[in-house]
């Protein structure tokens, strides 16, 4: 309906195949006139209304609901091929309309592409465009009393209202719904000028939708658990910035929750920060929108990792944000709201890593662990379960993990570390073999003792470099499936994993297999006595150690390792003075004698072969030190029943290492306190051992309670062993010391005289009293 005057030509395009014009005049004069022309157009030439090639898209403008004028249904809109238009677009729209548009896409998020499109919906009461002020595009029912469109986030008018819009100009933003459906309502007032050309929307779906492996509570509060991620079959989870519309004071949260012992990593492959382009409620000041990361399971302000703000923050791409616990909380907040998504555009990836420590974690270190004997006497360890450490290293720093084994002499004196497997990958930038383990840039395991022998825990620890200079480092750099055992000499032991940073991330990040596996055991308790015996001419070991009995509760099983150091160029004779086992089974108790350079024991003695302990061979100096290192003998006792049911005494004697015969046998051995190996036998020998070995020991070792002459059990000659009864027990006639006899007689006589004098004086006093 139109009345009055209009000098501006207006175009009307019919929605149907019929147009009826009714002219009504209450007072007709020569000044009353109007004119119009009509023509029929093919859809092919009406590009603004039907687009290019309309024959390919028969439902581009939707399906008209039967019996209605402008109610349309749009199904499966994609690639912006659906056109939502006001009736008669691009001409002026009719009055007194109430049009409904049902919009649907195959995937969320449905989007109205109206940014920079002409928008002309007003309905002001004015004669023509020259007399009507141009009202800018406004939102809100209070600003749109006449004509307007109302957009709902859902299937119908019962869905949440996104906004009510009217005015003229270029629409500044697009509108994105939260699902696959939008409902648009267009209303024009009964009266008004034929001036406004309406609206035109393209419809499609925003391509940023990704299915999130988690559960949603409400519109945008998510619980992203490690269980949900594993169930999805993906190694990493994904969530995006808010791509759809949201009202002012919106808060969206993402709780990434791992299991006990897990940590969370979050990083942004893509991150952009823009000014808020389509605020629903503009605000003054900074941080109209923000994204905050918390190292907690809730927004704890004391545990903020990072806050991104739309006004002053710099985006951080491909930076790992890692939690210290098993949860990480992310909160997006908007004071303004938005019609077309967040001004903080990000693509977030998250995953979980098993950060369980088999020992006690070291504060401030990502993979260092401590294994203390008072926590667990033995156990198993491997390379870090958290493979994220192989990615987090600086480019110039190798990945290092230090495993410390600590005990106390009051509990144990030694550590046995057994590296069972090593599974290093081939170095892609250093394909050569590992020749110098400590110096080559290869993945390696190094083992050393941080304390020198005999020192306590207060001593400054020995660094790896210092230990390498002293030759006290065991280094493994090649793959091996056999075991390597290291027995400490003291109370502490260090194992360090070193991975070259040049390939650590490429080779081991998210590499489930272990790089190494090892077992450890704390051994040599107080019942074993001293663990290291310094070089002496002769000595002995008692088990159990008598001084510890009564102060230590006997364990269920025990393992003792004694290291007997030997003076250089000395032969060594070891024998058991007494020995008793709990049973004849070697499983209940066994004594092993080990020599350097031999993986297997030189001799093993248990209940079933205890007779072997009666006669042991002499060990030459070359057998004690085959590589020229400090000579020593190691004795190991393993008792798997009550330790107090076994007992033994081991004694030993050192002898000079003499020249060998032509056939390689020893010429003879002798030992004197003040003699020299070059002395002849008769000149320096204090006691000659029986037998044909021509062995000699110092006189102070004779009759000391320990057999020091070896191999005399089968000797049939007349010479005595150093502990023979004939030699050590002698019957002697006691001699009388006459000086002592005379002295005793004189003393007796003097005492007798003194007694007589005293008696006489007493008698005289008594007689005098009677006379009175």
């Amino acid at each position: 309906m139109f009345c009055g005057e209009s000098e501006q030509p207006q175009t009307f395009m019919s929605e149907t195949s019929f147009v009826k014009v009714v002219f009504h005049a209450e007072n007709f004069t020569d000044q009353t006139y109007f004119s119009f022309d009509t023509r029929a157009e093919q859809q092919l030439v009406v590009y603004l209304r039907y687009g290019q090639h309309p024959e390919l898209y028969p439902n581009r403008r939707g399906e008209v609901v039967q019996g209605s004028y402008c109610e349309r249904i749009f199904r499966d809109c994609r690639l912006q091929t659906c056109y939502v238009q006001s009736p008669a677009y691009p001409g002026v729209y009719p009055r007194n309309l109430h049009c409904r548009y049902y919009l649907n896409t195959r995937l969320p998020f449905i989007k109205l592409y109206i940014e920079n499109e002409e928008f002309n919906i007003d309905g002001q009461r004015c004669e023509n465009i020259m007399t009507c002020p141009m009202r800018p595009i406004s939102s809100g029912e209070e600003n749109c009393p006449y004509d307007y469109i109302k957009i709902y986030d859902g299937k119908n008018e019962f869905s949440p209202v996104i906004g009510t819009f009217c005015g003229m100009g270029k629409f500044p933003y697009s509108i994105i719904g939260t699902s696959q459906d939008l409902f648009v309502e267009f209303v024009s007032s009964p009266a008004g000028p034929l001036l406004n050309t309406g609206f035109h929307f393209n419809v499609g779906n925003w391509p940023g939708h990704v299915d999130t492996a988690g559960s949603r509570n409400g519109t945008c509060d998510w619980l992203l658990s490690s269980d949900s991620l594993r169930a999805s079959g993906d190694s990493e989870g994904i969530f995006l910035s808010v791509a759809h519309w949201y009202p002012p004071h919106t808060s969206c949260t993402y709780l990434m929750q791992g299991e006990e012992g897990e940590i969370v990593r979050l990083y942004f492959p893509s991150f952009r920060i823009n000014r808020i382009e389509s605020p629903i409620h503009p605000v003054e000041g900074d941080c109209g929108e923000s994204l905050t990361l918390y190292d907690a399971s809730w927004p704890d302000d004391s545990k903020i990792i990072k806050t991104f703000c739309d006004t002053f923050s710099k985006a951080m791409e491909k930076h790992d944000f890692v939690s210290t616990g098993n949860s990480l909380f992310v909160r997006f907040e908007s004071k303004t709201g938005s019609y077309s998504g967040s001004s903080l555009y990000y693509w977030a990836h998250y995953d979980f890593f098993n950060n369980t420590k088999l020992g006690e974690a070291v504060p401030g270190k990502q993979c260092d662990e401590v294994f203390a004997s008072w926590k667990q006497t033995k156990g198993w360890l491997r390379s870090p379960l958290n493979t994220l450490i192989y990615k987090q290293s600086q480019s110039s720093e190798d990945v290092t993990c230090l495993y410390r084994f600590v005990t106390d002499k009051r509990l144990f004196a030694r550590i046995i570390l057994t590296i069972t497997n090593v599974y290093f990958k081939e170095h892609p930038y250093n394909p050569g073999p590992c020749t110098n383990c400590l110096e080559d840039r290869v993945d390696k395991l190094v083992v050393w003792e941080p304390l020198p022998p005999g020192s306590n825990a207060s001593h400054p620890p020995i660094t790896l470099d210092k230990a390498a200079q002293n030759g006290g480092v065991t280094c493994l750099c090649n793959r091996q499936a056999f075991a390597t055992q290291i027995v400490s000499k003291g109370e502490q032991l260090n194992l360090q994993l070193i991975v070259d940073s040049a390939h650590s991330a490429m080779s081991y990040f998210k590499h489930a297999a272990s790089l190494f596996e090892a077992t450890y055991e704390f051994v040599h308790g107080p019942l074993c006595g001293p663990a290291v015996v310094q070089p002496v001419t002769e000595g002995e070991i008692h088990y159990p150690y008598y001084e510890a009995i009564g102060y230590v509760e006997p364990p269920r099983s025990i393992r003792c390792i004694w290291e007997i150091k030997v003076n250089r160029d000395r032969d060594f004779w070891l024998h058991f003075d007494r020995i008793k086992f709990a049973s004849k089974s070697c499983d209940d108790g066994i004594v092993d004698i080990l020599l350097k350079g031999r993986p297997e024991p030189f001799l093993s003695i248990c209940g079933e072969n205890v007779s072997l302990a009666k006669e042991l061979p002499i060990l030459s100096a070359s057998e004690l030190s085959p590589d020229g290192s400090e000579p020593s003998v190691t004795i190991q006792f393993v008792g798997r029943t009550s330790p107090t049911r076994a007992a033994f005494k081991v004694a030993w004697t050192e002898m000079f290492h003499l020249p060998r015969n032509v056939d390689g046998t020893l010429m003879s051995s002798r030992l004197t306190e003040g003699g020299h190996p070059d002395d002849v036998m008769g000149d320096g020998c204090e006691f000659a051992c029986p037998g044909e070995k021509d062995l000699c020991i110092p006189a102070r070792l004779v009759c000391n309670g320990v057999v020091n002459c070896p191999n005399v059990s089968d000797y049939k000659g007349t010479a005595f062993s150093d502990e023979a009864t004939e030699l050590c027990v002698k019957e002697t006639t006691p001699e009388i010391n006459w000086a002592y006899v005379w002295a005793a007689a004189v003393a007796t006589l003097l005492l007798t005289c003194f007694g007589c004098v005293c008696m006489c004086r007493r008698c005289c006093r008594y007689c005098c009293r009677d006379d009175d």
Side-chain angles (χ1 to χ4, degrees), residues 663-681:
D663 59 359
T665 60
L666 287 176
M667 295 177 61
S668 62
S669 299
R670 58 182 177 275
L671 175 66
T672 63
E673 287 289 281
H676 189 272
D678 294 334
D679 293 341
V680 295
M681 188 67 187

Side-chain angles (χ1 to χ4, degrees), residues 116-151:
N116 294 323
E117 292 284 350
E118 292 291 342
F119 188 81
N120 193 333
I121 300 175
D122 200 353
Q124 295 187 73
R125 301 296 186 265
C126 55
E127 292 294 332
N128 56 55
I129 195 170
M130 302 301 296
T131 59
C132 283
M134 185 174 179
R135 296 187 350 134
I137 296 176
S138 304
S139 63
E141 293 184 359
E142 67 278 6
N143 298 319
C144 301
Y146 307 122
D147 302 351
Y148 61 87
I149 65 167
K150 185 180 286 188
I151 303 175

Side-chain angles (χ1 to χ4, degrees), residues 177-366:
T178 62
S179 64
Q180 296 124 292
D181 298 286
L182 281 179
F183 176 69
V184 178
E185 194 175 36
F186 172 50
V187 175
S188 64
S189 58
L194 293 175
L195 297 176
N196 304 118
T197 56
F199 60 88
H200 171 86
F201 302 156
N202 291 340
V203 183
N205 66 286
W206 177 243
H209 174 71
V210 174
D211 290 330
T212 302
S215 57
R216 182 168 61 179
N217 179 21
T219 304
C220 58
D221 292 332
W222 288 86
L223 172 61
L224 311 174
S225 67
S226 57
D227 288 339
S228 299
L229 183 59
R230 280 191 292 270
S232 69
D234 297 324
S235 62
E236 294 184 6
I238 300 173
F239 66 91
L240 308 179
S241 54
V242 184
H244 53 74
W245 84 281
Y246 47 87
H249 308 292
T250 290
S251 176
C252 294
T253 62
Y254 307 87
L255 173 59
M256 286 148 278
Q257 184 68 53
E259 295 181 347
E260 189 68 28
E262 291 183 329
I263 59 173
V264 189
R265 177 185 68 137
L266 174 69
Y267 71 98
F268 302 96
S270 178
F271 204 141
R272 295 198 309 268
I273 299 179
N274 304 315
R275 285 284 186 174
I276 303 175
E277 297 178 354
S278 53
I280 297 176
H281 176 66
V283 296
E284 299 293 333
D286 291 331
C287 287
E289 294 187 334
S290 63
L291 184 74
T292 306
L293 282 58
Y294 299 88
D295 187 12
S297 59
W298 58 286
D300 185 352
D301 290 343
S302 65
K303 296 183 179 181
I304 293 177
I305 301 175
K306 179 72 176 179
T307 296
F308 298 97
C309 176
D310 67 308
T311 52
F312 57 76
S313 290
K314 181 180 179 181
M316 298 180 67
E317 294 185 352
K318 300 178 182 178
H319 176 81
D320 290 336
F321 296 96
V322 183
S323 67
T324 57
N326 64 337
S327 57
L328 194 147
F329 190 85
V330 177
R331 180 170 65 180
F332 168 76
E333 289 185 297
S334 175
K335 302 174 185 177
T336 65
S338 173
Y339 291 114
S340 59
S342 170
S343 62
L344 306 177
Y345 172 81
Y346 51 84
W347 179 287
H349 284 223
Y350 67 92
D351 47 10
F352 301 88
F353 293 87
N354 189 348
N355 199 40
T356 302
K357 299 290 193 299
L358 301 175
E360 184 177 353
V362 178
K365 301 292 185 179
Q366 58 182 358

Side-chain angles (χ1 to χ4, degrees), residues 51-229:
Q52 300 290 338
H53 306 291
E55 69 278 4
L56 301 178
Y57 305 97
N59 295 320
R60 178 174 274 171
R61 298 186 66 240
E63 302 173 17
V64 180
V65 176
Q66 188 175 4
S68 69
Y69 172 70
C70 59
E71 188 169 343
R72 294 176 178 265
I73 298 176
F74 296 80
R75 294 185 177 91
D76 193 16
C77 294
R78 48 184 168 172
L79 302 176
Q80 305 183 43
T81 58
C82 290
Y83 291 174
V84 182
Q85 301 168 340
S86 56
Y89 183 85
V92 296
Y93 55 79
R95 311 308 307 170
N96 200 26
L97 291 177
H98 190 178
C99 301
R100 297 165 177 262
Y101 303 91
Y102 301 90
L103 313 180
N104 170 263
T105 56
R106 181 172 297 182
L107 297 172
F109 304 105
I110 186 171
K111 179 176 182 178
L112 297 184
Y113 287 87
I114 52 179
E115 185 175 0
N116 294 323
E117 292 284 350
E118 292 291 342
F119 188 81
N120 193 333
I121 300 175
D122 200 353
Q124 295 187 73
R125 301 296 186 265
C126 55
E127 292 294 332
N128 56 55
I129 195 170
M130 302 301 296
T131 59
C132 283
M134 185 174 179
R135 296 187 350 134
I137 296 176
S138 304
S139 63
E141 293 184 359
E142 67 278 6
N143 298 319
C144 301
Y146 307 122
D147 302 351
Y148 61 87
I149 65 167
K150 185 180 286 188
I151 303 175
Y152 297 83
D153 186 20
K155 295 179 180 291
N156 49 44
E157 62 268 28
F158 301 106
S159 304
V161 176
I162 297 177
T164 301
F165 305 95
C166 61
M168 292 183 289
K170 287 186 177 293
F171 211 87
Y173 41 79
S174 295
I175 295 178
I176 304 174
T178 62
S179 64
Q180 296 124 292
D181 298 286
L182 281 179
F183 176 69
V184 178
E185 194 175 36
F186 172 50
V187 175
S188 64
S189 58
L194 293 175
L195 297 176
N196 304 118
T197 56
F199 60 88
H200 171 86
F201 302 156
N202 291 340
V203 183
N205 66 286
W206 177 243
H209 174 71
V210 174
D211 290 330
T212 302
S215 57
R216 182 168 61 179
N217 179 21
T219 304
C220 58
D221 292 332
W222 288 86
L223 172 61
L224 311 174
S225 67
S226 57
D227 288 339
S228 299
L229 183 59

